[in-house]
Amino acid sequence: MTHLSLINMSKFLLIKKKISVFNKRISVSGDKSLSIRWVLLASQAVGKSKCHNLLMSEDVIAALESIRKLGIKVKLQNNYCEIYGNGINGFKYKKNLIINAKNSGTLGRLILGLLIKSPHKIKIIGDKSLSKRDFSRITVPLKKFGANFFYHKKKNKLPLSILGSKFLKDINYLENKGSAQCKSCIMLAALNTSGTTSIKAVKSRNHSELIFRYLKIPIKIKKTEKYDLIRIKPPKKIKPFNYRIPGDISSSAFFMVLTILTQNSKLLIKDVNINPSRTGVIKILKKMGAKISFKNQRKYKGEKISDIFIKSSKNLKAINCPSKLNSSAIDEFLIIFLVAARAKGISYFKNISELNQKESPRLIWGSKILNMMGIKTVLTNDSIKIYGQPNLVINKTITIKNYLKDHRIFMMSTIAGLTNNGIFKIYDKDSINSSFPSFLKIIKKIDNKII
Ligand code: S3P
């Protein structure tokens, strides 16, 4: 009995009170987008690439396991990693290979770009959440290159198999969702072609472009107001490359909001990637009255890195969020919604239907959680209005479960619990392992009695 109840206990996190005032300095783990890109591109280089501070999360481990299955040697010790790349299309394609992308849309989509020459069918599977997500957004353009797809259960969903082609065409591709995963998938596929791939893409995170440049892969980018016009030629070979992954701004965002919503508190987050295509969260929070500044800014291999200093804010105001910031804040809307819930006035976020395409339908879930907290929302399939309550009082137990184990729903709910009264009971603690396994440890570092 005791044993059973212990097992049950460990499944959820119970937060009974607000976090106490703090003044701390923390580091968050390595950026997820950069970690997965380093793994995939290092696999295409010729020779040994080294990486420090690789994110040790399930999504990144799944990327390492995937390239291992494709014959690439990987050495991993804590968060230091060496990959012995075998050149472009240097994978060893065995029959009946199964790649498990687990919870990671980034891995599932990007790796397909590297498999468009596979001489055998390769099956890609994922967890329950990933198996609900749309893959037509990349299979459609990859088919134009010449790749073939077979679905095992539902059309356009995982599990699916890819069968490559020897005779690839160059394509023109329009990416109009602002999806960096789609753009990057096509950029990786372009490495396998013989001519020029042209991409017209709504602006989204540009890590792949910056790494391509750093690796001297022939890439030309013309920027217009809305689109980036990208042209890629395949390089003869990619040299191995060393990298130190900076902290993840998406992981930092939870702690920014924890500080903003905790009276008289301060926080310094060390060494965070502040690539402007990722800093939408900071721009939005500042417009809402948050006190956030950069300290010790520097450049690293095309990326921008900085320490981020945050102070709590008393007078938060609602925002009519400009849509042009959407793609640079796409992973942070849930946590931004929590600030809107405590801001004065009605906040409005529009053109964010992409949020429902994530690990869970996040627009719906974000609204649901706010409603459970007593916050009024008006939800459509691509927008939300949030009626803020600066003096919100919660005096009940809020239970959060069955959210497809979406790591960001868990972390948003935890921050909600730590910055409001009421009791929060949040299931599926393990969900944090996909992007930020040390999330709860860092909270303990800020207040060692709270959880
Ligand atoms: C990512 C792009 C975003 C983001 C995801 C990581 C990437 O997805 O939500 O967490 O690394 O390219 P979309 O490109 O689908 O918007």
Side-chain angles (χ1 to χ4, degrees), residues 15 40 42 78 95 99 109 136 157 160 163 187 195 224 246 298 301 303-304 330 341 351 353 388-389 410 447:
I15 303 174
L40 296 181
N78 302 319
K95 284 194 177 154
I99 301 286
R109 290 175 177 141
S136 68
K157 304 268 152 110
L160 63 73
L163 174 64
M187 290 176 68
T224 68
R298 62 251 187 226
K301 303 196 175 177
E303 294 285 349
K304 259 181 157 181
I330 193 67
N351 301 323
S353 59
Q389 290 186 43
F410 179 89
D447 181 341

Side-chain angles (χ1 to χ4, degrees), residues 390-449:
N391 302 316
L392 176 69
V393 178
I394 304 173
N395 47 23
K396 58 177 180 180
T397 299
I398 295 176
T399 304
I400 294 149
K401 61 199 297 197
N402 301 330
Y403 54 89
L404 280 171
K405 302 190 182 186
D406 180 343
H407 50 128
R408 295 198 208 283
I409 296 281
F410 179 89
M411 293 189 277
M412 170 221 189
S413 307
T414 303
I415 301 300
L418 293 171
T419 54
N420 287 287
N421 337 78
I423 297 176
F424 280 68
K425 191 173 178 185
I426 314 158
Y427 280 80
D428 289 321
K429 228 155 87 155
D430 293 348
S431 60
I432 53 174
N433 291 338
S434 64
S435 71
F436 194 8
S438 57
F439 173 70
L440 292 172
K441 274 190 212 124
I442 298 177
I443 287 174
K444 278 200 182 121
K445 193 179 160 197
I446 294 175
D447 181 341
N448 63 9
K449 295 203 186 76

Side-chain angles (χ1 to χ4, degrees), residues 332-342 349 352 355 362-363 366-367 370 384 386 412:
E332 286 70 64
F333 276 105
L334 287 173
I335 197 72
I336 293 169
F337 291 169
L338 272 191
V339 179
R342 297 277 298 280
F349 302 91
I352 49 172
L355 272 194
R362 284 186 186 155
L363 184 52
S367 175
L370 296 187
I384 185 169
I386 299 172
M412 170 221 189

Side-chain angles (χ1 to χ4, degrees), residues 32-33 37 106 137 179-181 205 330-331 358 408:
K32 179 154 72 81
S33 293
R37 282 162 174 76
T106 308
R137 53 179 60 197
S179 164
Q181 288 178 357
R205 64 187 70 185
I330 193 67
D331 288 341
K358 299 295 173 190
R408 295 198 208 283

Side-chain angles (χ1 to χ4, degrees), residues 3 69 93 223 257:
H3 183 59
K69 278 200 168 175
Y93 295 108
K223 291 182 187 294
V257 171

